[in-house]
Amino acid sequence: MKKIGILMGSASDLPTVEKAIDTLKALEIPFEVHVYSAHRTPEEARDFALNARANGFGAIIAAAGMAAHLAGAVAANTTLPVVGIPCKSASLDGIDALLSTVMMPPGVPVATVGINGAVNAALLCAEILAVTDVSLAAKLDAKRKADAAKVLRSDAEVTEKYN
Ligand code: RP5
């Protein structure tokens, strides 16, 4: 199976990124995690992106906050799918990173999830790999069913308590 590359602009993004890591682990999808900053270590971010396809990656998650350009900078150097996670920061609550990540000009797409949307970033990467992996697609179907069952259990609880 192809690996998922997980990049973050700073170790301070790790608490958010860990939710993507946990989600990929639960689906038994191989991954590699790095702290590469688009502005503090641009060479490393660039090299990772340039070599990602040859190194066995199928998609890349890029998480960054503030004037977040990591996802765009990575996407500039690969045609693998890049999923951007805008990370929440103190000053603007993540709106800064959301707009920086989502508003890519035509030609270099970044599939942007919600602010701190690490679980969905991992699931979207899983769905990308599942296009050609029936066993992974079955796991995603099972997860949807389990999530639905959880909601129905909650409904039964509130029905019992209030109705
Ligand atoms: C971004 O700036 C990082 O992705 C992080 O979200 C934010 C703050 O970085 P630190 O100052 O915590 O290293 O590049």
Side-chain angles (χ1 to χ4, degrees), residues 84-106:
I85 305 174
C87 294
K88 191 169 175 172
S89 57
S91 315
L92 293 170
D93 266 352
I95 295 294
D96 43 358
L98 173 63
L99 298 180
S100 303
T101 306
V102 77
M103 288 305 293
M104 285 299 288

Side-chain angles (χ1 to χ4, degrees), residues 9-10 12-13 39-40 64-66:
S10 166
S12 66
D13 300 319
H39 49 276
R40 292 171 178 150
M66 303 183 77

Side-chain angles (χ1 to χ4, degrees), residues 1-6 24 29-32 48 52 55-60 80 129:
M1 190 189 295
K2 299 276 188 197
K3 294 180 285 183
I4 302 300
I6 306 178
L24 292 178
I29 296 173
F31 60 84
E32 209 177 289
F48 181 90
N55 285 337
F57 292 93
I60 300 171
L80 288 176
L129 297 187

Side-chain angles (χ1 to χ4, degrees), residues 30-143:
F31 60 84
E32 209 177 289
V33 187
H34 294 282
V35 179
Y36 290 150
S37 163
H39 49 276
R40 292 171 178 150
T41 59
E43 300 290 326
E44 285 78 3
R46 178 176 177 273
D47 287 350
F48 181 90
L50 283 175
N51 298 312
R53 190 182 294 275
N55 285 337
F57 292 93
I60 300 171
I61 293 171
M66 303 183 77
H69 39 270
L70 180 61
V74 168
N77 288 304
T78 181
T79 52
L80 288 176
V82 175
V83 178
I85 305 174
C87 294
K88 191 169 175 172
S89 57
S91 315
L92 293 170
D93 266 352
I95 295 294
D96 43 358
L98 173 63
L99 298 180
S100 303
T101 306
V102 77
M103 288 305 293
M104 285 299 288
V108 183
V110 168
T112 305
V113 295
I115 296 167
N116 283 359
V119 171
N120 274 358
L123 289 175
L124 184 53
C125 288
E127 290 177 358
I128 289 165
L129 297 187
V131 168
T132 54
D133 184 330
V134 287
S135 141
L136 181 54
K139 281 186 195 169
L140 289 170
D141 285 341
K143 180 181 169 10

